[in-house]
């Protein structure tokens, strides 16, 4: 069975919606639970497909995981961790599962992990992950679809990343937390999810400083202990619902959000003539008139997030004038353009840029999600289109949004989900 989302456009969304814990924060934190031998209790963990996959990876390694969906609580007990190999059939589903290689290497001195999978949004090489592990003394062998790392002892070292890769920063940080000496990551990723991982490691007794800047310093410790921790809110989910309010001309309050984490989106929405106001843990967005075209360029944090590029493009298809969207992070992240054009959008691709000529209306059509954020973009486009839109390949959306349809229904959207043979 596969799922299909069907929606009728033309409804202005209104009301309040609560944001879940951040998918891109909880996945590395779940992986980092392997660094200690005690039980870890994690809160605000959404029951997403990617979370279940990561738990399955940990189970395959010998760790025990217990998830309580009503409380959104996850308990990880890595005491009986007995394997150092992450299986192919799980790792191929989700790139983030590759993050277990750092904790396994740090704790066991050995890790064997399948080459990772995930959304087909472009080449995302793992060479920076391996560069850092090699610098700390690991031997790396690649073959037969697997990467094997070996190290009698990891030692602190200075690592410069050619690109501020989030995954590489996280993997190196986790491995370094149990290494001997001090590791310094230069040109490190500055994303809030990296900061959250550093706080989690420190809550277990680690010594990480500088997270949130381009230089992170990790002083290795001999042992980490269990802890209880709550992950940060999901800035991408928050941004998606803000854009949903804007594209429908609605008025929505987003709860459980850290405004500082989505400053670039707030700035761009204000440029489109939307009213955005912030309070502690709340953002209210309202659109009272026509949208104005703006230019957007994705960049590593604190720039405009690539994960919001496709939902933002959906908004710009309805803006007055011509917008230019430049993608600098992933080279294949324009796959949603053809689907938007099926709905009447006028978008022309020129290299790493998409030129979007706004239209007064979109028309509902059958479309397919090509990746996680593209799926959200198509739903947003359907919310503002005339007639019925049917979005297929919904499993992509399930990877990153919990109760997406139900939350939109609570805001007044005419949307439903059905299972198809």
């Amino acid at each position: 069975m596969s799922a299909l989302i069907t929606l009728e456009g033309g409804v202005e969304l209104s009301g309040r919606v609560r944001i879940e814990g951040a998918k891109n924060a909880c996945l590395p934190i779940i992986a980092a639970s392997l660094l200690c031998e005690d039980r870890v209790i994690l809160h605000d963990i959404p029951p997403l497909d990617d979370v279940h996959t990561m738990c399955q990876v940990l189970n395959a390694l010998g760790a025990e995981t217990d998830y309580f969906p009503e409380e959104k609580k996850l308990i990880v007990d890595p005491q009986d961790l007995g394997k150092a190999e992450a299986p192919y059939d799980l790792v191929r589903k989700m790139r983030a599962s590759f993050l277990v290689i750092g904790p396994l290497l740090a704790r066991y001195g050995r890790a064997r992990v399948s080459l990772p999978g995930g959304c087909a949004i472009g080449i995302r090489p793992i060479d920076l992950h391996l560069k850092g592990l090699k610098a700390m003394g690991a031997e790396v062998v690649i073959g037969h679809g697997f990467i094997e790392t070996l190290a009698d002892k990891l030692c602190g070292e200075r690592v410069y990343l050619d690109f501020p890769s989030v995954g590489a920063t996280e993997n190196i940080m986790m491995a370094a937390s149990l290494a001997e000496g001090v590791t310094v990551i230069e040109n490190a990723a500055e994303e809030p999810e990296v900061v959250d991982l550093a706080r989690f490691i420190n809550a277990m007794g680690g010594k990480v400083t500088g997270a949130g800047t381009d230089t992170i310093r990790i002083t290795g410790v001999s042992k980490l202990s269990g802890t209880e921790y709550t992950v940060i809110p999901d800035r991408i989910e928050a941004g998606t619902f803000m854009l949903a309010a804007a594209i429908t001309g609605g008025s929505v309050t987003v709860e459980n959000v850290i405004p500082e984490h989505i400053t670039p989106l707030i700035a761009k929405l204000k440029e489109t003539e939307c009213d955005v106001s912030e309070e502690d843990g709340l953002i209210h967005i309202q659109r009272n008139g026509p949208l104005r075209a703006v230019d957007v360029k994705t960049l590593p944090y604190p720039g405009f997030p690539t994960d919001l590029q496709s939902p933002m493009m959906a908004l710009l298809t309805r803006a007055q004038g011509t917008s230019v969207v430049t993608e600098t992070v992933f080279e294949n992240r324009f796959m949603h353009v053809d689907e938007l054009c099926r709905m009447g959008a006028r978008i022309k691709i020129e290299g790493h840029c998409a030129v979007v000529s706004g239209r007064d209306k979109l028309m509902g059509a059958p479309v397919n999600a090509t990746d996680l954020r593209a799926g959200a973009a198509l739903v947003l486009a359907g919310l503002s289109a005339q007639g019925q839109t049917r979005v297929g390949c919904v499993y992509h959306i399930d990877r990153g949004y919990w109760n997406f349809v139900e939350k939109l229904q609570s805001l007044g959207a005419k949307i439903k989900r059905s299972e198809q043979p």
Side-chain angles (χ1 to χ4, degrees):
M1 300 291 286
S2 61
L4 183 73
I5 291 177
T6 305
L7 60 156
E8 297 282 343
V11 178
E12 296 181 2
L13 301 187
S14 64
R16 302 170 76 92
V17 61
R18 188 185 187 279
I19 301 306
E20 309 292 337
K23 174 182 88 82
N24 292 335
C26 64
L27 296 178
I29 285 174
I30 293 171
S33 300
L34 299 177
L35 289 166
C36 72
E37 299 180 10
D38 308 315
R39 189 174 69 161
V40 169
I41 301 174
L42 302 174
H43 296 283
D44 218 356
I45 304 295
L48 300 169
D49 286 355
D50 277 9
V51 169
H52 294 312
T53 299
M54 183 63 84
C55 289
Q56 288 178 310
V57 172
L58 265 62
N59 294 154
L61 296 170
E64 292 185 10
T65 59
D66 290 303
Y67 185 68
F68 302 88
E70 291 187 0
E71 302 173 55
K72 293 174 185 169
K73 179 174 74 173
L74 175 65
I75 299 177
V76 180
D77 186 350
Q79 183 175 355
D80 296 326
L81 198 65
K83 298 180 181 178
E85 178 174 328
Y88 162 75
D89 61 333
L90 293 175
V91 177
R92 70 179 177 84
K93 293 182 182 180
M94 182 185 68
R95 184 176 183 83
S97 53
F98 188 72
L99 291 171
V100 300
I101 197 168
L104 288 176
L105 182 63
R107 185 166 163 189
Y108 272 126
R110 174 181 175 270
R112 189 170 188 262
V113 179
S114 168
L115 289 167
C119 282
I121 55 176
I123 299 171
R124 298 192 283 181
I126 55 173
D127 56 334
L128 295 179
H129 299 242
L130 303 180
K131 174 183 179 180
L133 299 179
K134 286 179 181 178
M136 288 187 284
E139 177 187 353
V140 177
V141 179
I142 303 176
H144 305 287
F146 280 85
I147 297 173
E148 187 164 7
T149 57
L150 302 167
D152 292 333
K153 180 177 66 174
L154 290 176
C155 297
E157 187 56 80
R158 186 175 294 271
V159 180
Y160 177 83
L161 299 180
D162 299 319
F163 177 84
S165 162
V166 173
T169 300
E170 292 170 339
N171 238 335
I172 296 167
M173 189 194 310
M174 289 187 283
S177 65
L178 291 177
E180 186 177 288
V182 177
T183 300
V184 178
I185 307 174
E186 297 177 323
N187 198 29
E190 302 176 29
E191 272 73 359
E193 295 79 13
V194 172
V195 177
D196 212 32
L197 175 61
R199 288 174 178 161
F200 174 68
I201 292 173
N202 289 344
M204 291 193 293
K207 296 181 180 179
V208 182
T209 60
T213 74
D214 63 358
T215 304
I216 300 177
R217 182 183 181 92
I218 309 104
T219 302
V221 297
S222 60
K223 183 179 180 180
L224 294 173
S225 304
T227 190
E228 192 164 352
Y229 193 80
T230 301
V231 302
I232 58 173
D234 195 316
R235 61 192 173 105
I236 306 303
E237 185 192 7
T240 301
F241 279 100
M242 291 167 64
L243 288 165
I247 200 170
T248 63
S251 176
V252 171
T253 299
V254 180
E255 302 175 347
N256 190 37
V257 60
I258 301 174
E260 294 80 8
H261 289 174
I262 48 176
T263 298
L265 175 64
I266 292 172
K268 287 298 173 182
L269 283 172
K270 288 181 178 179
E271 286 183 36
T272 66
E273 303 293 351
C274 288
D275 293 329
V276 184
S277 58
E278 309 167 30
E279 297 179 35
D280 289 340
L282 297 174
I283 294 179
H284 180 74
I285 177 167
Q286 183 169 337
R287 193 187 108 202
N288 299 315
L291 292 164
R292 189 175 71 182
V294 299
D295 293 340
V296 175
K297 182 177 183 180
T298 66
L299 290 166
Y301 190 87
F304 193 93
T306 180
D307 280 352
L308 286 176
Q309 178 257 103
S310 43
M312 184 70 188
M313 189 183 295
L315 177 73
L316 296 176
T317 63
R318 298 299 314 280
Q320 293 183 345
T322 300
S323 305
V324 178
V325 178
T326 305
E327 174 61 53
T328 71
V329 181
F330 294 127
E331 72 279 0
N332 285 350
R333 206 153 206 174
F334 285 150
M335 292 190 296
H336 56 284
V337 167
D338 287 343
E339 300 300 291
L340 287 174
C341 290
R342 285 172 53 82
M343 302 176 70
R346 292 184 294 191
I347 307 171
K348 182 179 180 181
I349 303 297
E350 297 179 357
H352 293 290
C353 297
V355 180
V356 185
S357 300
R359 305 202 65 173
D360 291 336
K361 62 182 179 180
L362 298 177
M363 302 300 294
V367 291
N368 282 315
T370 53
D371 60 70
L372 166 55
R373 307 305 173 183
L378 295 174
V379 171
L380 266 57
L383 290 173
S384 73
Q386 292 184 357
Q388 185 183 86
T389 298
R390 288 178 292 142
V391 182
C393 299
V394 174
Y395 64 90
H396 284 300
I397 299 174
D398 293 340
R399 291 186 50 230
Y401 295 92
W402 170 243
N403 275 350
F404 193 41
V405 169
E406 291 80 358
K407 288 183 177 182
L408 288 170
Q409 286 174 339
S410 73
L411 297 174
K414 294 180 179 179
I415 184 172
K416 65 180 181 179
R417 179 185 176 120
S418 58
E419 299 297 326
Q420 304 293 315

